[in-house]
Amino acid sequence: MNTQLFLIQVFNGLVNGAFYALLSLGLAVIFGMLRIVNFMHGALYMLGAFTAFALGQALGLGFWPSLILAPLIVGAIGMVLERSLLSRLYGLEPSYNLLLTFGLTLLTQDLVKQVMLSQYAVSSAPYTPPAALSGVVNLGFVVFPKYRLFVIALALAICLITWFVIEKTRVGAIIRASTENPNVTRAFGIDVGKWVTGMFGVGVGLAGLAGVLAAPIYSVEPYMGAELIITTFAVVVIGGMGSILGSVVTGFAVGVLAAIGAALYPPIANTLVFILMAIVLLVRPSGLFGLPEGAR
């Protein structure tokens, strides 16, 4: 592999890694704070892309308004689900959450499929990026699509802001206290339930944002999150369950590793991440950035 091809694969990997990072960050926020294994995360990623598409078709809204509105709508849907369904399962075995979110995944996919077929007479649809992000940029060593560079930069900025808020601010301290010791936190007059619901909304909103960003690259279809979520769970395990920094770093790293692996030996591209996961679990069961369960 020559240097130019290597750099092209690195940038392609960073684009895929941007989606892995945003999705695994949302999963890490939800699991790290609430101990919920949200199997619905891939469907919410798809729902973000579909919401942007539907806003454009029904209201004529372009990419930029949808980039803000779609994650907010998906986040609001997530908060309603958390209050009405998931909150009833707190304290029970994690398998109950897993089964519930798996059922909601199937329901959401079929619902979107029926809407797309009945309202728009398509089962998948392209989504055009804004004119300001069309074309390519000459980086000196490689020419790369402008929109994909925007995806990398925005995903990186969102990940860093989320990490900073949770780890370094008073808001993050309240959030951590609300989930680690809710009874003591309530004694200080803090409404723990509202903070938990808000964090769940932020986590699924990140999935919705990833969906909007993915729509111009992969197009919109009801099952676009089904395969991606399996790899995303592997990313979360490699980074360390619930680790904010681990999910971001590992998301980008796995994207680059898979892209380079696909160029060197294409048959291994889809399994490379799972080979890496197996090696990491053998050497460090809590993940690269995770803490042992007893140390949390």
Side-chain angles (χ1 to χ4, degrees):
M1 182 188 301
N2 59 43
T3 303
Q4 186 176 25
L5 179 58
F6 175 77
L7 291 173
I8 290 173
Q9 290 304 111
V10 168
F11 273 85
N12 285 332
L14 287 175
V15 175
N16 292 332
F19 297 122
Y20 294 148
L22 282 174
L23 285 168
S24 59
L25 176 61
L27 280 177
V29 167
I30 292 172
F31 182 83
M33 302 293 160
L34 312 180
R35 291 293 184 268
I36 295 174
V37 180
N38 183 23
F39 200 83
M40 194 186 177
H41 217 61
L44 293 166
Y45 159 81
M46 174 274 296
L47 198 58
F50 173 73
T51 302
F53 169 73
L55 288 173
Q57 294 293 316
L59 303 178
L61 295 181
F63 175 82
W64 297 112
S66 296
L67 187 63
I68 297 173
L69 290 176
L72 293 177
I73 292 172
V74 173
I77 292 172
M79 288 193 288
V80 171
L81 292 174
E82 192 275 338
R83 278 293 85 193
S84 60
L85 298 175
L86 288 169
S87 62
R88 300 172 185 272
L89 303 180
Y90 292 160
L92 300 179
E93 290 291 326
S95 57
Y96 287 88
N97 287 323
L98 190 64
L99 289 172
L100 174 61
T101 53
F102 180 70
L104 291 173
T105 298
L106 299 179
L107 183 65
T108 304
Q109 289 173 339
D110 282 348
L111 183 63
V112 169
K113 181 180 178 181
Q114 293 304 317
V115 171
M116 291 190 74
L117 289 174
S118 61
Q119 297 295 319
Y120 307 112
V122 294
S123 58
S124 65
Y127 189 82
T128 307
L133 296 177
S134 61
V136 297
V137 176
N138 189 345
L139 299 176
F141 50 87
V142 65
V143 174
F144 205 73
K146 190 185 296 183
Y147 180 76
R148 297 190 178 216
L149 289 176
F150 168 76
V151 169
I152 296 171
L154 182 62
L156 191 58
I158 294 294
C159 290
L160 290 175
I161 291 171
T162 304
W163 171 81
F164 181 81
V165 170
I166 292 177
E167 299 291 341
K168 302 294 182 182
T169 67
R170 184 174 179 274
V171 171
I174 294 175
I175 292 168
R176 295 197 303 276
S178 298
T179 54
E180 292 171 2
N181 203 330
N183 291 329
V184 173
T185 307
R186 286 192 186 94
F188 286 92
I190 295 173
D191 191 334
V192 171
K194 288 184 178 177
W195 283 97
V196 168
T197 302
M199 281 312 298
F200 190 86
V202 170
V204 300
L206 289 170
L209 175 64
V212 180
L213 292 173
I217 297 177
Y218 302 115
S219 80
V220 180
E221 57 98 6
Y223 305 105
M224 61 187 291
E227 292 186 6
L228 193 62
I229 194 61
I230 303 300
T231 304
T232 303
F233 270 115
V235 169
V236 173
V237 171
I238 295 170
M241 294 291 286
S243 170
I244 304 297
L245 182 61
S247 64
V248 175
V249 173
T250 308
F252 281 101
V254 164
V256 172
L257 184 65
I260 294 175
L264 293 174
Y265 186 61
I268 204 173
N270 292 330
T271 57
L272 194 57
V273 62
F274 300 104
I275 295 173
L276 177 62
M277 182 181 73
I279 295 172
V280 169
L281 289 178
L282 285 173
V283 176
R284 188 176 168 81
S286 58
L288 295 175
F289 294 83
L291 295 174
E293 188 63 32
R296 290 173 182 163

